[in-house]
Amino acid sequence: MLDQPILSVRALSYAPSEGETLLRDVNLDIEAGGFYVVKGPSGAGKSTLLRLLCRLILPSSGAVLLRGRPVNRIPAPELRSKVLYLHQSPLMVEGGVEDNILLPFTFKANAALERPGRERLLELMRELRLDGVDLDRPADKLSVGQKQRVCLLRALVLSPDILLLDEPTSALDQDNAAVVLDRIAWLHREKGQTILLVTHGTQVIPVDNLRTLSVRNGTARIE
Amino acid sequence: MTHLQNIGTLQLFIGLGFIFLAQGCSILFRLGLARDLAVGAIRTFAQLFIMGYALTYIFACPVKLVSLLVFSFMVAAATHIVGSRIKTKAVRFRLPVFFSMFAPYLLVAAMVTGVIIQAKPWYDPMYLIPIGGMVVGNSMSSLAVALERLMADLRSKREMVEMRLCLGATDWEASRDLASDAIKAGMIPSINAMMGVGVVFLPGMMTGQILAGADPLASIRYQIVVMLMLAASAALSTSAAVLLVRKRCFGRAQQPLV
């Protein structure tokens, strides 16, 4: 028996305003543990598709199912901790690195989750090549590349089912972009993390079984 | 006690010279406000004359509850003015704004007329309308400032709000600090007014009473009550409006709409 897809999209359409349809009748099956590179021309709706999946915007029609369950029946905070969207720019709240990493635990929806202790945090920092960074360091003093990895770590402490990454390397120089992509690939390889990554397509992603999710001409399909 | 020195019609029209001065500034610095100043002056004349005649009839009306009708009309007009300053079509906010002005303003005005001035009944138009008018007029600006700030912050800090939502925050958790900042922004003018009153400026009500020949020591008592009342009504109405409007800025999936 085939495994049920972790996320399914059924007849999804999105019209940002009347008479303007950006995505029409999209059908997709995202497999658990898959790595999908979302590609397509600028303005085709790549980010829009990711934002529809986590209900930051709502579709005009159609459905998204998480493990067979319609996402509109899942409380939004719970859904977004599972189908976790990471913005292009790394946003930090006031405070230190640790405050930022533990930010999700200040929200009611995550109160029952186990908070990682300091040892575990240091281990996660090492895994994301942040081992030289003090947990008490003010977050706004970090480089953009470090901030992006702190954002990744902040998402990982919630153990999401799917990570939706919206051009996480667009603000980074080549070296930093390579480190971030390397860590994203590592998350997939070593931890089996399901990932949808929007990218402008020039960077090499060190993953063997990459799938391409192409968004163009108002629709999206897996190639 | 002296009597109020009447302003004749001729003197009233001489007062228009102040508007010509303001229009002169507008023309000199190319502000494009000359027409608005003219319209504003005409409206000031028209609205106050209408109000003056209306008050004469209302004060003479045997049904004293008519004051509540006038009060509701003032709040509705204030809602319209606040609404025109908040430029968004995505959120329907007029009804919450109306109620967040109506209830606290009426409460504060009723406490002043009933408990402090001890008017009988508390809704006597002679007291409730001028006191209510002061509350609505002054606190409306606080409310508009607060809502403008809330909308501006929700737009400019949308990514930050979304980032928190994406980490499992509810819409309240994601925008709580924006709501606090907006309420604070709305309350600052009334706090500043309390700091400056009697030193930087003499408020209209007190000045009016003194011009009408009242004892300055009696009129300051009224003014103290008015200042405290304005601080309370600004705090209550901005808090209520910001909380109600903020909720409407998020959709059924707690997604930002602004």
Side-chain angles (χ1 to χ4, degrees):
Chain A
M1 196 179 109
L2 282 171
D3 282 343
Q4 185 186 44
I6 191 165
L7 196 77
S8 311
V9 177
R10 294 288 173 260
L12 191 84
S13 295
Y14 177 68
S17 57
E18 219 171 297
E20 183 199 355
T21 304
L22 187 59
L23 293 169
R24 184 179 289 116
D25 198 25
V26 174
N27 289 284
L28 298 168
D29 281 322
I30 304 295
E31 287 167 19
F35 195 122
Y36 298 83
V37 179
V38 186
K39 286 188 172 169
S42 174
K46 302 185 294 291
S47 296
T48 302
L49 177 65
L50 296 199
R51 295 164 75 84
L52 283 164
L53 298 181
C54 64
R55 285 169 72 76
L56 270 183
I57 48 175
L58 303 189
S60 313
S61 61
V64 178
L65 310 166
L66 178 65
R67 299 182 198 280
R69 188 177 168 201
V71 291
N72 56 359
R73 296 212 192 127
I74 304 172
E78 192 189 314
L79 170 75
R80 293 191 187 115
S81 303
K82 289 190 162 90
V83 182
L84 205 155
Y85 176 85
L86 224 66
H87 285 79
Q88 201 168 342
S89 43
L91 294 163
M92 298 283 113
V93 293
E94 219 174 292
V97 173
E98 188 173 1
D99 299 320
N100 269 276
I101 297 170
L102 298 179
L103 175 71
F105 298 99
T106 62
F107 305 136
K108 209 169 56 189
N110 305 319
L113 300 178
E114 197 189 340
R115 278 168 93 102
R118 206 160 167 103
E119 277 310 302
R120 174 74 186 128
L121 279 184
L122 291 170
E123 190 188 330
L124 285 165
M125 297 275 283
R126 270 194 299 279
E127 287 176 353
L128 286 184
R129 305 267 190 273
L130 283 165
D131 25 352
V133 177
D134 186 352
L135 278 170
D136 297 322
R137 190 163 168 194
D140 58 357
K141 299 273 186 257
L142 300 178
S143 71
V144 188
Q146 287 171 326
K147 282 182 186 167
Q148 194 59 276
R149 277 173 282 158
V150 168
C151 285
L152 205 53
L153 209 160
R154 183 166 64 189
L156 291 176
V157 293
L158 289 173
S159 308
D161 289 344
I162 303 168
L163 264 182
L164 309 172
L165 306 174
D166 196 353
E167 298 203 44
T169 56
S170 63
L172 306 183
D173 60 43
Q174 220 171 358
D175 291 344
N176 268 308
V179 176
V180 169
L181 279 180
D182 173 69
R183 290 299 86 195
I184 291 170
W186 174 83
L187 277 174
H188 167 70
R189 276 195 319 265
E190 301 297 321
K191 311 223 165 181
Q193 180 71 57
T194 311
I195 291 173
L196 269 72
L197 170 73
V198 174
T199 173
H200 38 272
T202 51
Q203 295 129 324
V204 178
I205 302 159
V207 169
D208 295 333
N209 47 351
L210 270 186
R211 313 280 307 266
T212 301
L213 200 168
S214 165
V215 183
R216 59 180 68 236
N217 303 327
T219 193
R221 61 193 173 84
I222 295 165
E223 291 173 345
Chain B
M1 188 163 155
T2 54
H3 288 289
L4 180 64
Q5 184 70 40
N6 262 325
I7 296 181
T9 310
L10 178 66
Q11 284 89 341
L12 200 57
F13 278 97
I14 291 172
L16 274 178
F18 294 119
I19 286 295
F20 298 144
L21 280 177
Q23 284 178 319
C25 285
S26 171
I27 292 164
L28 189 66
F29 297 108
R30 296 178 186 176
L31 305 177
L33 293 175
R35 192 174 169 277
D36 287 347
L37 281 163
V39 172
I42 292 166
R43 282 186 66 157
T44 302
F45 268 78
Q47 287 164 194
L48 288 180
F49 265 100
I50 291 169
M51 185 52 109
Y53 281 112
L55 285 179
T56 311
Y57 285 105
I58 290 163
F59 289 164
C61 180
V63 184
K64 296 209 179 293
L65 272 172
V66 72
S67 61
L68 291 180
L69 199 68
V70 177
F71 183 77
S72 307
F73 174 77
M74 289 193 289
V75 175
T79 304
H80 179 71
I81 294 170
V82 171
S84 61
R85 282 178 61 175
I86 298 155
K87 294 169 185 67
T88 176
K89 285 183 180 156
V91 182
R92 294 170 67 177
F93 55 85
R94 283 178 197 257
L95 207 59
V97 167
F98 178 84
F99 283 110
S100 46
M101 285 206 258
F102 187 85
Y105 292 178
L106 187 61
L107 177 77
V108 171
M111 280 183 64
V112 173
T113 57
V115 180
I116 299 173
I117 301 178
Q118 296 187 344
K120 284 191 175 64
W122 63 267
Y123 49 82
D124 186 338
M126 187 88 177
Y127 294 97
L128 185 68
I129 293 174
I131 294 287
M134 263 190 289
V135 175
V136 176
N138 283 278
S139 307
M140 177 186 79
S141 312
S142 304
L143 199 139
V145 167
L147 289 181
E148 272 180 317
R149 172 71 180 266
L150 178 72
M151 292 298 168
D153 276 3
L154 280 171
R155 280 190 200 101
S156 66
K157 296 178 181 168
R158 180 171 172 143
E159 276 215 335
M160 188 58 101
V161 171
E162 283 189 354
M163 179 272 278
R164 292 181 182 137
L165 290 172
C166 289
L167 294 170
T170 58
D171 58 36
W172 167 243
E173 287 169 327
S175 60
R176 182 168 37 197
D177 55 340
L178 275 57
S180 305
D181 288 348
I183 295 171
K184 209 184 282 177
M187 285 174 63
I188 284 172
S190 58
I191 296 171
N192 284 346
M194 286 197 289
M195 301 293 183
V197 69
V199 181
V200 184
F201 68 100
L202 291 180
M205 180 186 182
M206 185 175 148
T207 315
Q209 285 184 326
I210 293 172
L211 287 176
D215 175 6
L217 288 176
S219 56
I220 60 157
R221 286 170 185 260
Y222 265 87
Q223 195 56 52
I224 289 169
V225 171
V226 167
M227 297 308 291
L228 304 179
M229 160 184 100
L230 294 181
S233 62
L236 290 174
S237 62
T238 51
S239 306
V242 165
L243 295 181
L244 292 173
V245 172
R246 186 213 63 82
K247 185 69 195 158
R248 289 190 168 212
C249 293
F250 292 86
R252 62 178 192 274
Q254 305 193 23
Q255 82 281 17
L257 297 175
V258 178

